[in-house]
Each structure stands twice: as structure tokens, then as C-alpha cells.
Amino acid sequence: MKNNFSKKLSVGTLSAAILVGSLSVCASDKNTAASDPTADGNGPDVITIYAATSGSPKPFTYIDENGVLTGHNIALLTAIFDKLPQYDLVIETTEFASIFAGLDAGRYQIAANNLVKTAEREEKYIFSDPIFKNEYVAVVALDNDALDTVSSLGDLAGLNYIGNTAVNVTTAVESYNRENPANPIVIHYTEADIVMQLRDVESGKYDFLLMDRPMYEYYNREFGLNLSALSLSEDVSSSVMSEPYCYFVVSKGNDQLLEDINGALAEVIAEGISTEINIQYFGKDYTPIVD
């Protein structure tokens, strides 16, 4: 049985401390609860909405040392639903692949996991307005004199890159190598967690990795690493990801839910709550401008 994280937090605390309880509702019951306002016993005006997260990576979504689900995405989603009394939000942790399988099956209505748009996802799901504007960096050891700027992926040619298979940053490096076979970046694939990858760059085993700046700032601060983050030029960032935004993903058929989320998100941004959450988890404000 998965852990159930029920929304019990007021916006003012901004800690996204979601109380852990037990859940005895099967998947078919969840589908009924999400579509029938009376199914969960909360009365005719309250609809239960199920959101899924994998509980990683930090600082977007994670379980803290007290066993509490927290992180930027969780705090922001909680703040949004604090403004939507017509819904009761239940957040569950699951394997990453199960998030999308659960959306497809109707088990979940929302996914919150530092998610970006892809062509495949846009065919199957609908997206909230942007929840934060991302930035990508090349992470190198402080004593690495091999580079001081990254204005093109060609600046990284001949260097040793470490990264996970099939993630967007590795895909961008692979694409560069296909287009530049005479001057490639050396790719070292790994399944190691991000801390080990950062340690390997810090020790000089590998020259660099590419990652989100918010994630880098969190781990560098958390573990006191001797690393430096080199900002990527706009052209390089575009090759890593066509757009710099992350979103909440909503299953199709929930158009009213999406409209309500976007309306509450705009309020959370206008009131400065998003900025506070960003600073709490990222150390810097990455709040997007939303029309």
C-alpha cells in the first residue's frame, strides 16, 4: 500500500508538510471519487483529487528526515489547492513510471514531479500554466580550468560528461555528438544518484554534468560541494530543452480542474507565495510570468 499524503497545511506556513496517513481506497473507488462529488463523503461540493509524485528529485519533491513529503512542487501544489475549497487534494508517492500509467488509468488526475512538456506527453495530457522557469548549467569542479564559459556544446567537446540515460540533458549531448562526430563529447552513462555524480565531478573523475540550476544549488548547499555552475548560453539551453518551463500535468477530460488550478496559481504568484516557496526550496526566485 502506498503512502497517502493528505492536504492539511495552510498557505501561511509554506512548508508543505503533508501529513502521512493510510489509504484503503482501491483504484476503482478513486475514479468514482474524482468524478462524483458525493463519493468520498465530504459533501456535495467537495471533489477528491488524486495527485502523484515519485518523491524525487530534490528539491522539487522529496521525503524529508521526518518522513514528510515536501519540496517546491509539493508546497506550490498545496498552496494552490488551499485556494480551491471545492477540492480535497490527496498526494501519493509512486514509482516515476507509475505516475503516467496512473494518469492513463484515471487513478490520478495530477502529476507533480518537475515535469516538462514533450511532444508525446502533449498528445496524451494537458498542462498547467508554468510553475517555474528553469535554468540549466554545466557543473564543473572548482579547480577545473578546462572551461569558464559554455556558449555552445562545442565548448564541451573532448571533455568527459557523466549523465543518466534518456534524460533531456544526455539526449542533447547525444544529439550534438551525432551532428559533430569528429569533435564529440565523451559520454559516461550511469545509474548512480545525483549526489554520486556530483562527487565524481568534484573529484575530477569526470569533467562535467548538465543539470537544473535549482537542483544544483540545493545539492551544493546541502552537501558543501567544491563545484562551480557555469551558465549555459540561450542557444545551449535551447538545445537541452526547447522551453525552460516546468508544469503540473493533468489527465485529459479535467478541463475545469485545469482552469481552477491555473486561476489559483495566478493568485499564488500575484500574492508572492510562489516567490516565498521558490526562495525556501531553491534559494532564488524562479517564478514565471503568467498572463
Side-chain angles (χ1 to χ4, degrees), residues 147-175:
L147 27 123
D148 52 14
T149 61
V150 183
S151 57
S152 73
L153 284 177
D155 293 335
L156 303 170
L159 299 181
N160 291 283
Y161 162 77
I162 181 172
N164 299 106
T165 304
V167 297
N168 60 311
V169 288
T170 300
T171 300
V173 174
E174 292 169 337
S175 177

Side-chain angles (χ1 to χ4, degrees), residues 32-281:
T32 304
S35 59
D36 180 358
T38 63
D40 60 4
N42 288 325
D45 298 322
V46 178
I47 302 173
T48 300
I49 298 298
Y50 293 89
T53 183
S54 69
S56 68
K58 293 181 178 181
F60 308 104
T61 170
Y62 62 99
I63 308 295
D64 70 13
E65 62 276 8
N66 298 313
V68 177
L69 179 66
T70 187
H72 168 274
N73 285 192
I74 306 306
L76 188 64
L77 189 63
T78 301
I80 287 169
F81 273 83
D82 277 340
K83 292 184 172 295
L84 300 174
Q86 67 270 39
Y87 300 111
D88 180 48
L89 177 67
V90 178
I91 306 177
E92 291 187 7
T93 56
T94 186
E95 296 294 326
F96 184 80
S98 298
I99 293 175
F100 293 100
L103 288 174
D104 295 340
R107 181 180 182 87
Y108 309 118
Q109 289 75 54
I110 303 171
N113 216 96
N114 187 33
L115 297 169
V116 299
K117 285 183 180 179
T118 65
E120 181 181 7
R121 289 174 186 172
E122 287 189 278
E123 289 181 1
K124 300 180 67 175
Y125 313 108
I126 51 181
F127 291 77
S128 71
D129 288 335
I131 61 174
F132 74 92
K133 185 175 181 179
N134 212 336
E135 181 182 341
Y136 293 92
V137 294
V139 179
V140 299
L142 279 176
D143 59 357
N144 186 339
D145 299 325
L147 27 123
D148 52 14
T149 61
V150 183
S151 57
S152 73
L153 284 177
D155 293 335
L156 303 170
L159 299 181
N160 291 283
Y161 162 77
I162 181 172
N164 299 106
T165 304
V167 297
N168 60 311
V169 288
T170 300
T171 300
V173 174
E174 292 169 337
S175 177
Y176 166 83
N177 282 352
R178 284 193 298 271
E179 296 170 6
N180 299 274
N183 199 29
I185 296 167
V186 182
I187 301 176
H188 299 268
Y189 295 101
T190 183
E191 295 184 0
D193 64 29
I194 192 64
V195 176
M196 181 58 69
Q197 292 180 46
L198 290 166
R199 293 289 191 197
D200 283 343
V201 170
E202 181 184 40
S203 70
K205 184 176 181 178
Y206 305 105
D207 294 310
F208 76 98
L209 58 81
L210 299 172
M211 65 189 303
D212 313 56
R213 182 180 284 278
M215 189 186 300
Y216 161 77
E217 297 287 359
Y218 176 86
Y219 281 99
N220 201 42
R221 184 173 62 249
E222 182 80 1
F223 294 96
L225 302 170
N226 292 310
L227 295 168
S228 177
L230 305 179
S231 295
L232 305 181
S233 70
E234 187 173 336
D235 288 344
V236 180
S237 292
S238 296
S239 67
V240 172
M241 181 54 63
S242 59
E243 59 173 34
Y245 300 108
C246 291
Y247 307 83
F248 294 127
V249 178
V250 178
S251 55
K252 282 190 174 180
N254 288 295
D255 298 298
Q256 184 60 55
L257 172 62
L258 181 66
E259 181 179 336
D260 293 339
I261 288 172
N262 286 339
L265 173 60
E267 291 181 30
V268 166
I269 290 173
E271 293 170 8
I273 298 169
S274 173
T275 294
E276 293 181 36
I277 292 172
N278 272 258
I279 291 173
Q280 177 179 348
Y281 289 99

